[in-house]
Coordinates of all heavy atoms in Angstrom, one line a residue:
M265 N 23.3 16.7 22.3 CA 23.0 15.4 21.8 C 23.2 15.5 20.3 O 22.6 16.3 19.6 CB 21.6 14.9 22.2 CG 21.3 13.5 21.7 SD 19.7 13.1 22.1 CE 19.9 12.5 23.8
A266 N 23.8 14.5 19.7 CA 24.0 14.5 18.3 C 22.8 14.0 17.5 O 22.0 13.2 18.1 CB 25.2 13.5 18.0
K267 N 22.7 14.5 16.4 CA 21.4 14.2 15.6 C 21.7 12.8 15.0 O 22.7 12.4 14.5 CB 21.4 15.2 14.4 CG 20.2 14.9 13.5 CD 20.3 15.7 12.2 CE 19.3 15.2 11.3 NZ 19.6 15.5 9.9
R268 N 20.6 12.0 15.2 CA 20.6 10.6 14.6 C 20.3 10.7 13.1 O 19.4 11.4 12.7 CB 19.6 9.7 15.3 CG 20.0 9.5 16.7 CD 19.1 8.6 17.4 NE 19.4 8.4 18.8 CZ 18.8 7.6 19.6 NH1 17.8 6.8 19.1 NH2 19.1 7.4 20.9
D269 N 21.1 9.9 12.3 CA 20.8 9.9 10.9 C 20.2 8.6 10.5 O 20.8 7.5 10.3 CB 22.2 10.1 10.2 CG 22.0 10.6 8.8 OD1 20.9 11.1 8.5 OD2 23.0 10.4 8.0
F270 N 18.9 8.7 10.5 CA 18.1 7.5 10.1 C 18.0 7.3 8.6 O 18.1 8.3 7.9 CB 16.7 7.5 10.7 CG 16.6 7.5 12.2 CD1 16.2 8.6 12.9 CD2 16.9 6.3 12.8 CE1 16.2 8.5 14.3 CE2 16.9 6.2 14.2 CZ 16.5 7.3 15.0
A271 N 17.7 6.1 8.2 CA 17.6 5.8 6.7 C 16.3 6.4 6.2 O 16.2 7.0 5.1 CB 17.6 4.3 6.5
F272 N 15.2 6.6 7.1 CA 13.9 7.1 6.6 C 13.6 8.3 7.5 O 13.8 8.3 8.7 CB 12.8 6.1 6.7 CG 13.0 4.9 5.7 CD1 12.7 3.6 6.1 CD2 13.2 5.1 4.3 CE1 12.9 2.6 5.3 CE2 13.4 4.1 3.5 CZ 13.1 2.8 4.0
G273 N 13.0 9.2 6.9 CA 12.5 10.4 7.7 C 11.0 10.1 7.9 O 10.4 9.2 7.6
K274 N 10.4 11.1 8.6 CA 9.1 11.1 9.0 C 8.1 10.9 7.8 O 7.1 10.2 7.8 CB 8.7 12.4 9.9 CG 7.2 12.3 10.3 CD 7.0 13.6 11.2 CE 5.6 13.6 11.5 NZ 5.2 14.9 12.4
E275 N 8.5 11.7 6.8 CA 7.6 11.7 5.5 C 7.7 10.3 4.9 O 6.7 9.8 4.4 CB 8.2 12.8 4.6 CG 7.4 12.9 3.2 CD 8.0 14.0 2.4 OE1 8.8 14.8 2.9 OE2 7.6 13.9 1.3
N276 N 8.8 9.6 5.0 CA 8.9 8.2 4.4 C 7.9 7.3 5.2 O 7.3 6.5 4.6 CB 10.3 7.7 4.5 CG 11.3 8.4 3.5 OD1 11.8 9.5 3.9 ND2 11.3 8.0 2.3
F277 N 8.0 7.4 6.5 CA 7.1 6.6 7.3 C 5.6 6.8 7.0 O 4.9 5.8 6.9 CB 7.4 6.6 8.7 CG 8.7 6.0 9.2 CD1 9.7 6.7 9.6 CD2 8.8 4.6 9.0 CE1 10.9 6.1 9.9 CE2 10.0 3.9 9.4 CZ 11.1 4.7 9.8
I278 N 5.2 8.0 6.9 CA 3.9 8.4 6.5 C 3.5 7.7 5.1 O 2.4 7.1 5.0 CB 3.6 9.9 6.5 CG1 3.8 10.4 8.0 CG2 2.3 10.2 5.9 CD1 3.8 11.9 8.0
L279 N 4.4 7.9 4.1 CA 4.1 7.3 2.8 C 4.0 5.8 2.9 O 3.2 5.2 2.2 CB 5.2 7.8 1.9 CG 5.2 9.3 1.5 CD1 6.4 9.6 0.7 CD2 4.0 9.5 0.7
I280 N 4.9 5.2 3.6 CA 4.8 3.7 3.8 C 3.6 3.3 4.5 O 2.9 2.3 4.0 CB 6.1 3.2 4.7 CG1 7.4 3.4 3.8 CG2 5.9 1.7 5.2 CD1 8.7 3.1 4.5
A281 N 3.1 4.0 5.5 CA 1.8 3.7 6.2 C 0.6 3.8 5.1 O -0.2 3.0 5.1 CB 1.5 4.6 7.4
V282 N 0.6 4.8 4.3 CA -0.4 5.0 3.3 C -0.4 3.8 2.3 O -1.4 3.3 1.9 CB -0.3 6.4 2.6 CG1 -1.2 6.4 1.4 CG2 -0.5 7.5 3.5
A283 N 0.9 3.5 1.9 CA 1.0 2.4 0.9 C 0.5 1.1 1.4 O -0.2 0.3 0.9 CB 2.5 2.2 0.5
I284 N 0.8 0.8 2.7 CA 0.3 -0.5 3.4 C -1.2 -0.4 3.5 O -1.9 -1.5 3.2 CB 1.0 -0.6 4.9 CG1 2.5 -1.0 4.7 CG2 0.2 -1.7 5.7 CD1 3.2 -0.9 5.9
A285 N -1.8 0.7 3.7 CA -3.3 0.8 3.8 C -3.9 0.5 2.4 O -4.9 -0.3 2.4 CB -3.7 2.2 4.2
F286 N -3.3 1.0 1.4 CA -3.7 0.7 0.0 C -3.7 -0.8 -0.3 O -4.6 -1.5 -0.8 CB -3.0 1.4 -1.0 CG -3.6 2.8 -1.5 CD1 -3.2 3.9 -0.8 CD2 -4.5 2.8 -2.5 CE1 -3.8 5.1 -1.1 CE2 -5.1 4.0 -2.7 CZ -4.7 5.2 -2.2
I287 N -2.5 -1.4 0.1 CA -2.3 -2.9 -0.1 C -3.4 -3.7 0.6 O -4.0 -4.6 0.1 CB -0.9 -3.3 0.2 CG1 0.1 -2.6 -0.8 CG2 -0.7 -4.8 0.2 CD1 1.6 -2.7 -0.4
V288 N -3.6 -3.3 1.9 CA -4.5 -4.1 2.7 C -6.0 -3.9 2.2 O -6.7 -4.9 2.1 CB -4.4 -3.6 4.2 CG1 -5.6 -4.2 5.1 CG2 -3.1 -4.0 4.8
I289 N -6.3 -2.7 1.8 CA -7.7 -2.5 1.2 C -7.9 -3.2 0.0 O -8.9 -3.9 -0.3 CB -7.9 -1.0 1.0 CG1 -8.0 -0.2 2.3 CG2 -9.1 -0.7 0.2 CD1 -8.0 1.3 2.2
G290 N -6.8 -3.3 -0.9 CA -6.9 -4.1 -2.2 C -7.1 -5.6 -1.8 O -7.9 -6.2 -2.5
F291 N -6.4 -6.1 -0.9 CA -6.5 -7.5 -0.6 C -8.0 -7.9 0.1 O -8.5 -8.9 -0.2 CB -5.4 -8.1 0.3 CG -4.2 -8.4 -0.4 CD1 -3.1 -7.6 -0.4 CD2 -4.1 -9.5 -1.2 CE1 -2.0 -8.0 -1.1 CE2 -3.0 -9.9 -1.9 CZ -2.0 -9.1 -1.9
V292 N -8.4 -6.9 0.9 CA -9.7 -7.1 1.5 C -10.8 -7.1 0.4 O -11.7 -7.9 0.4 CB -9.9 -6.0 2.6 CG1 -11.5 -6.0 3.0 CG2 -9.1 -6.3 3.8
L293 N -10.7 -6.2 -0.6 CA -11.6 -6.2 -1.7 C -11.6 -7.4 -2.5 O -12.6 -7.7 -3.2 CB -11.4 -4.9 -2.6 CG -11.8 -3.5 -1.9 CD1 -11.3 -2.5 -2.9 CD2 -13.2 -3.5 -1.7
M294 N -10.5 -8.0 -2.5 CA -10.4 -9.3 -3.3 C -11.0 -10.5 -2.7 O -11.3 -11.4 -3.2 CB -8.9 -9.7 -3.6 CG -8.3 -8.9 -4.8 SD -6.7 -9.7 -5.2 CE -5.7 -8.2 -4.8
G295 N -11.2 -10.4 -1.4 CA -11.7 -11.5 -0.6 C -13.2 -11.7 -0.7 O -13.9 -10.9 -1.3
G296 N -13.6 -12.9 -0.3 CA -15.0 -13.1 -0.3 C -15.5 -13.9 -1.5 O -14.7 -14.4 -2.3
G297 N -16.8 -14.0 -1.7 CA -17.3 -14.7 -2.9 C -17.4 -16.2 -2.8 O -17.6 -16.9 -3.8
A298 N -17.3 -16.8 -1.6 CA -17.4 -18.2 -1.4 C -18.9 -18.6 -1.5 O -19.8 -17.8 -1.4 CB -16.9 -18.5 0.0
S299 N -19.0 -19.9 -1.9 CA -20.4 -20.4 -2.1 C -20.9 -20.7 -0.8 O -20.2 -20.8 0.2 CB -20.4 -21.7 -3.0 OG -19.6 -22.6 -2.4
E300 N -22.3 -20.7 -0.7 CA -22.9 -20.9 0.5 C -22.7 -22.4 1.1 O -22.5 -22.6 2.3 CB -24.6 -20.9 0.3 CG -25.0 -19.4 -0.1 CD -24.7 -18.4 0.9 OE1 -24.8 -18.7 2.2 OE2 -24.4 -17.2 0.5
D301 N -22.6 -23.4 0.3 CA -22.5 -24.8 0.8 C -21.1 -25.4 0.5 O -20.8 -26.5 0.9 CB -23.6 -25.7 0.1 CG -23.5 -25.7 -1.3 OD1 -22.6 -25.0 -2.0 OD2 -24.3 -26.4 -2.0
G302 N -20.2 -24.6 -0.1 CA -18.9 -25.0 -0.4 C -18.7 -25.9 -1.6 O -17.6 -26.2 -1.9
V303 N -19.8 -26.2 -2.3 CA -19.7 -27.1 -3.5 C -20.2 -26.3 -4.7 O -19.6 -26.5 -5.8 CB -20.6 -28.3 -3.2 CG1 -20.5 -29.2 -4.5 CG2 -20.0 -29.2 -2.0
S304 N -21.3 -25.6 -4.5 CA -22.0 -24.9 -5.7 C -21.0 -23.7 -6.2 O -20.3 -23.2 -5.5 CB -23.4 -24.5 -5.4 OG -23.3 -23.5 -4.3
F305 N -21.3 -23.4 -7.4 CA -20.5 -22.3 -8.0 C -21.2 -20.9 -7.7 O -22.5 -20.8 -7.8 CB -20.5 -22.5 -9.6 CG -20.0 -21.3 -10.3 CD1 -18.5 -21.1 -10.3 CD2 -20.7 -20.4 -11.0 CE1 -17.9 -20.0 -11.1 CE2 -20.1 -19.4 -11.8 CZ -18.7 -19.2 -11.7
N306 N -20.4 -20.0 -7.4 CA -20.9 -18.6 -7.1 C -20.3 -17.6 -8.1 O -19.0 -17.4 -8.1 CB -20.6 -18.1 -5.7 CG -21.1 -16.8 -5.2 OD1 -21.7 -16.2 -6.1 ND2 -20.9 -16.5 -4.1
P307 N -21.1 -17.1 -9.1 CA -20.6 -16.2 -10.1 C -20.0 -14.8 -9.5 O -19.4 -14.1 -10.2 CB -21.7 -16.0 -11.0 CG -22.9 -16.2 -10.2 CD -22.5 -17.3 -9.1
E308 N -20.2 -14.6 -8.3 CA -19.8 -13.4 -7.7 C -18.2 -13.3 -7.6 O -17.7 -12.2 -7.5 CB -20.3 -13.2 -6.2 CG -20.0 -11.9 -5.5 CD -20.7 -10.7 -6.2 OE1 -21.6 -10.8 -6.9 OE2 -20.0 -9.6 -6.0
I309 N -17.5 -14.4 -7.8 CA -16.1 -14.4 -7.8 C -15.6 -13.6 -9.0 O -14.4 -13.2 -9.0 CB -15.5 -15.8 -7.7 CG1 -15.8 -16.6 -8.9 CG2 -15.8 -16.5 -6.4 CD1 -15.0 -17.8 -9.1
F310 N -16.3 -13.4 -10.0 CA -15.9 -12.7 -11.2 C -16.5 -11.3 -11.3 O -16.7 -10.7 -12.4 CB -16.4 -13.5 -12.4 CG -15.7 -14.8 -12.6 CD1 -16.5 -16.1 -12.5 CD2 -14.3 -15.0 -12.8 CE1 -15.9 -17.3 -12.6 CE2 -13.7 -16.1 -12.8 CZ -14.5 -17.3 -12.8
S311 N -16.8 -10.7 -10.2 CA -17.3 -9.4 -10.2 C -16.2 -8.4 -10.5 O -15.0 -8.6 -10.3 CB -17.9 -9.0 -8.8 OG -16.9 -8.9 -7.7
A312 N -16.6 -7.2 -11.0 CA -15.6 -6.2 -11.3 C -14.8 -5.7 -10.2 O -13.6 -5.4 -10.3 CB -16.3 -5.1 -12.0
R313 N -15.4 -5.7 -9.0 CA -14.6 -5.3 -7.8 C -13.4 -6.2 -7.6 O -12.3 -5.8 -7.2 CB -15.5 -5.4 -6.7 CG -14.8 -4.9 -5.4 CD -15.7 -5.0 -4.2 NE -15.5 -6.4 -3.7 CZ -16.4 -7.0 -2.7 NH1 -17.3 -6.4 -2.3 NH2 -16.1 -8.2 -2.4
R314 N -13.7 -7.6 -7.8 CA -12.7 -8.6 -7.5 C -11.6 -8.7 -8.5 O -10.4 -9.0 -8.3 CB -13.2 -9.9 -7.2 CG -14.0 -9.9 -5.9 CD -14.3 -11.3 -5.4 NE -14.9 -11.3 -4.2 CZ -16.2 -11.1 -3.9 NH1 -17.0 -10.9 -5.0 NH2 -16.7 -11.1 -2.6
I315 N -11.9 -8.5 -9.8 CA -11.0 -8.8 -10.9 C -10.4 -7.5 -11.5 O -9.5 -7.6 -12.3 CB -11.5 -9.7 -12.0 CG1 -12.7 -9.0 -12.6 CG2 -11.9 -11.0 -11.4 CD1 -13.3 -9.8 -13.9
V316 N -10.9 -6.3 -11.2 CA -10.5 -5.1 -11.8 C -10.0 -4.1 -10.6 O -8.9 -3.6 -10.5 CB -11.4 -4.4 -12.7 CG1 -10.9 -3.1 -13.2 CG2 -11.8 -5.4 -13.8
V317 N -11.0 -3.7 -9.9 CA -10.8 -2.6 -8.9 C -9.7 -3.1 -7.8 O -8.8 -2.3 -7.5 CB -12.1 -2.2 -8.1 CG1 -11.8 -1.3 -7.1 CG2 -13.1 -1.7 -9.2
A318 N -9.9 -4.2 -7.2 CA -9.0 -4.6 -6.1 C -7.5 -4.8 -6.6 O -6.6 -4.3 -6.0 CB -9.4 -5.9 -5.5
P319 N -7.3 -5.5 -7.7 CA -5.9 -5.6 -8.2 C -5.3 -4.2 -8.5 O -4.1 -4.0 -8.3 CB -5.9 -6.4 -9.4 CG -7.2 -7.3 -9.2 CD -8.2 -6.3 -8.5
V320 N -6.0 -3.2 -9.1 CA -5.5 -1.9 -9.5 C -5.1 -1.2 -8.1 O -4.0 -0.6 -8.1 CB -6.5 -1.1 -10.2 CG1 -6.2 0.4 -10.2 CG2 -6.7 -1.7 -11.6
I321 N -5.9 -1.3 -7.1 CA -5.7 -0.6 -5.8 C -4.4 -1.3 -5.2 O -3.5 -0.6 -4.6 CB -6.8 -0.7 -4.9 CG1 -8.0 0.2 -5.4 CG2 -6.5 -0.3 -3.5 CD1 -9.3 0.2 -4.7
T322 N -4.3 -2.6 -5.3 CA -3.2 -3.3 -4.7 C -1.9 -2.9 -5.4 O -0.9 -2.6 -4.8 CB -3.3 -4.8 -4.8 OG1 -4.6 -5.1 -4.1 CG2 -2.2 -5.5 -4.1
V323 N -1.9 -2.8 -6.7 CA -0.7 -2.4 -7.5 C -0.4 -0.9 -7.2 O 0.8 -0.7 -7.0 CB -0.9 -2.6 -9.0 CG1 0.1 -1.9 -9.9 CG2 -1.1 -4.1 -9.3
I324 N -1.3 -0.1 -7.1 CA -1.0 1.3 -6.6 C -0.4 1.3 -5.3 O 0.6 2.1 -5.1 CB -2.3 2.1 -6.6 CG1 -2.8 2.4 -8.0 CG2 -2.1 3.5 -6.0 CD1 -4.2 3.0 -8.2
G325 N -0.8 0.5 -4.4 CA -0.1 0.3 -3.0 C 1.3 -0.1 -3.2 O 2.1 0.4 -2.5
F326 N 1.5 -1.0 -4.0 CA 3.0 -1.5 -4.1 C 3.9 -0.6 -4.9 O 5.0 -0.3 -4.4 CB 3.0 -2.9 -4.9 CG 2.6 -4.2 -4.2 CD1 1.5 -4.8 -4.5 CD2 3.4 -4.4 -3.0 CE1 1.1 -5.9 -3.8 CE2 3.0 -5.5 -2.2 CZ 1.9 -6.3 -2.7
V327 N 3.3 0.2 -5.8 CA 4.1 1.3 -6.4 C 4.3 2.4 -5.4 O 5.4 3.0 -5.3 CB 3.3 1.8 -7.7 CG1 4.0 3.1 -8.3 CG2 3.3 0.7 -8.7
A328 N 3.3 2.7 -4.6 CA 3.5 3.7 -3.6 C 4.6 3.3 -2.5 O 5.3 4.1 -2.0 CB 2.2 4.0 -3.0
M329 N 4.6 2.0 -2.3 CA 5.6 1.4 -1.4 C 6.9 1.7 -1.9 O 7.9 2.1 -1.2 CB 5.3 0.0 -1.0 CG 6.3 -0.6 -0.1 SD 6.2 0.1 1.6 CE 4.7 -0.6 2.2
I330 N 7.2 1.4 -3.2 CA 8.5 1.5 -3.8 C 8.9 3.1 -3.7 O 10.1 3.4 -3.4 CB 8.5 1.0 -5.2 CG1 8.3 -0.5 -5.2 CG2 9.7 1.5 -6.0 CD1 8.0 -1.1 -6.6
Y331 N 8.0 3.9 -4.1 CA 8.2 5.3 -4.0 C 8.5 5.8 -2.6 O 9.5 6.5 -2.4 CB 6.9 6.2 -4.6 CG 7.1 7.7 -4.4 CD1 8.0 8.4 -5.3 CD2 6.5 8.4 -3.4 CE1 8.2 9.7 -5.2 CE2 6.8 9.7 -3.3 CZ 7.6 10.5 -4.2 OH 7.8 11.7 -4.0
A332 N 7.8 5.3 -1.6 CA 8.1 5.6 -0.2 C 9.4 5.2 0.2 O 10.1 5.9 1.0 CB 7.0 5.1 0.7
I333 N 9.9 4.1 -0.2 CA 11.2 3.6 0.1 C 12.4 4.4 -0.5 O 13.3 4.8 0.1 CB 11.4 2.1 -0.2 CG1 10.4 1.4 0.9 CG2 12.8 1.7 0.0 CD1 10.3 -0.1 0.4
V334 N 12.1 4.8 -1.9 CA 13.3 5.5 -2.5 C 13.2 7.0 -2.4 O 14.1 7.6 -2.8 CB 13.3 5.1 -4.1 CG1 13.6 3.6 -4.2 CG2 12.1 5.5 -4.8
H335 N 12.1 7.5 -2.0 CA 11.9 9.0 -1.8 C 12.9 9.5 -0.8 O 13.0 9.0 0.3 CB 10.4 9.2 -1.4 CG 10.2 10.8 -1.1 ND1 10.2 11.6 -2.2 CD2 10.0 11.4 0.0 CE1 9.9 12.9 -1.6 NE2 9.9 12.7 -0.3
K336 N 13.6 10.6 -1.2 CA 14.5 11.2 -0.3 C 13.9 12.5 0.2 O 13.6 13.5 -0.7 CB 15.8 11.5 -1.0 CG 16.9 12.2 -0.1 CD 18.2 12.3 -0.8 CE 19.1 13.0 0.2 NZ 20.5 12.5 0.2
P337 N 13.6 12.6 1.5 CA 13.0 13.8 1.9 C 13.9 15.0 1.8 O 15.1 15.0 1.9 CB 12.7 13.5 3.4 CG 13.6 12.4 3.8 CD 13.9 11.6 2.5
K338 N 13.3 16.2 1.7 CA 14.1 17.4 1.7 C 14.7 17.7 3.0 O 14.0 17.6 4.1 CB 13.1 18.6 1.2 CG 12.6 18.4 -0.2 CD 11.7 19.6 -0.6 CE 11.3 19.3 -2.0 NZ 9.9 19.5 -2.3
N339 N 15.9 18.1 3.0 CA 16.5 18.5 4.2 C 16.5 20.0 4.4 O 17.0 20.7 3.7 CB 18.0 18.0 4.2 CG 18.7 18.0 5.5 OD1 18.1 18.5 6.5 ND2 20.0 17.6 5.6
N340 N 15.8 20.4 5.4 CA 15.5 21.9 5.7 C 16.8 22.5 6.4 O 16.9 23.7 6.6 CB 14.3 22.1 6.4 CG 13.1 21.8 5.5 OD1 13.2 21.8 4.2 ND2 12.0 21.4 6.0
E341 N 17.6 21.7 7.1 CA 18.6 22.2 7.9 C 19.8 22.6 7.1 O 20.1 21.9 6.1 CB 19.0 21.1 8.9 CG 18.0 20.8 9.9 CD 18.5 19.8 10.9 OE1 19.7 19.7 11.1 OE2 17.6 19.0 11.4
Q342 N 20.5 23.7 7.4 CA 21.7 24.1 6.7 C 22.9 23.4 7.4 O 23.0 23.6 8.6 CB 21.8 25.6 6.8 CG 20.6 26.4 6.2 CD 20.6 26.2 4.7 OE1 21.6 25.9 4.1 NE2 19.4 26.2 4.1
E343 N 23.7 22.9 6.7 CA 24.9 22.2 7.2 C 26.1 22.9 6.8 O 26.3 23.4 5.8 CB 24.9 20.7 6.8 CG 23.8 20.0 7.4 CD 23.9 18.4 7.1 OE1 25.0 17.9 7.1 OE2 22.9 17.9 6.8

């Protein structure tokens, strides 16, 4: 059987999964902070978690996604 030549290797898919996890975690950390009655102001929307930590984690995830896509895995087979 001939070897299939895929665009991504196993290592790329693992890196993509890790990047997606970072992106999802970042967006989850940004969520919440709604007011109890829907009208009053809740200062929790300006917490450090929502305006610093979550965006940094999300950007790290997007940068990791770019790296996972352009990363060329090492080929151990001799051709």
Side-chain angles (χ1 to χ4, degrees):
M265 182 183 276
K267 178 187 167 209
R268 294 185 183 182
D269 201 19
F270 292 113
F272 293 134
K274 181 179 178 181
E275 186 177 344
N276 292 91
F277 285 116
I278 292 170
L279 291 172
I280 288 171
V282 169
I284 289 173
F286 269 92
I287 293 168
V288 168
I289 290 169
F291 277 106
V292 167
L293 288 175
M294 277 190 242
S299 61
E300 298 293 325
D301 58 3
V303 179
S304 62
F305 177 73
N306 185 357
E308 185 62 26
I309 63 170
F310 297 115
S311 70
R313 183 188 85 194
R314 287 191 177 90
I315 63 172
V316 176
V317 177
V320 168
I321 290 175
T322 305
V323 169
I324 289 171
F326 282 119
V327 170
M329 181 66 74
I330 292 169
Y331 176 76
I333 291 171
V334 300
H335 176 71
K336 182 171 178 144
K338 294 178 179 135
N339 192 358
N340 294 335
E341 295 181 27
Q342 301 293 330
E343 294 187 35

